[in-house]
Amino acid sequence: MLQQEKKLDFSNSYIIYSGRMPADMVIKIVRSGIPLLASNAAPSFSGYSVAEKGNVTLVGFIREDRFNVYTHWDRVIF
């Protein structure tokens, strides 16, 4: 909705979050066009499923020197 009304482009943005990544949250990320969501926690299975279908990269368990990439790993530079 934001993209359509205000012509905002979030395609070069990301969100860092401090909790689980449930489907309802990932759906909002998909709709806004943000390609990457990262968190210190793991995604829920429903969040993972939505991200996979919606072309969103999910990164979880972010710690000092490590992290897990759950979907669309090609966006992450190792």
Side-chain angles (χ1 to χ4, degrees):
M1 186 166 201
L2 286 175
Q3 283 181 310
Q4 294 171 352
E5 290 180 18
K6 305 246 184 201
K7 308 290 186 214
L8 298 175
D9 180 14
F10 294 114
S11 64
N12 289 316
S13 303
Y14 60 90
I15 290 182
I16 297 179
Y17 179 67
S18 65
R20 296 280 304 218
M21 296 171 270
D24 58 338
M25 178 183 197
V26 179
I27 288 169
K28 292 173 186 172
I29 301 299
V30 170
R31 288 181 180 161
S32 67
I34 297 170
L36 191 142
L37 173 61
S39 176
N40 62 346
S44 66
F45 181 75
S46 60
Y48 167 85
S49 299
V50 170
E52 184 66 36
K53 292 175 187 172
N55 196 29
V56 170
T57 300
L58 287 183
V59 180
F61 286 117
I62 296 174
R63 301 295 185 261
E64 289 180 16
D65 60 348
R66 61 188 166 86
F67 54 87
N68 295 339
V69 180
Y70 294 95
T71 59
H72 305 285
W73 57 268
D74 54 312
R75 287 193 182 101
V76 179
I77 299 172
F78 295 94

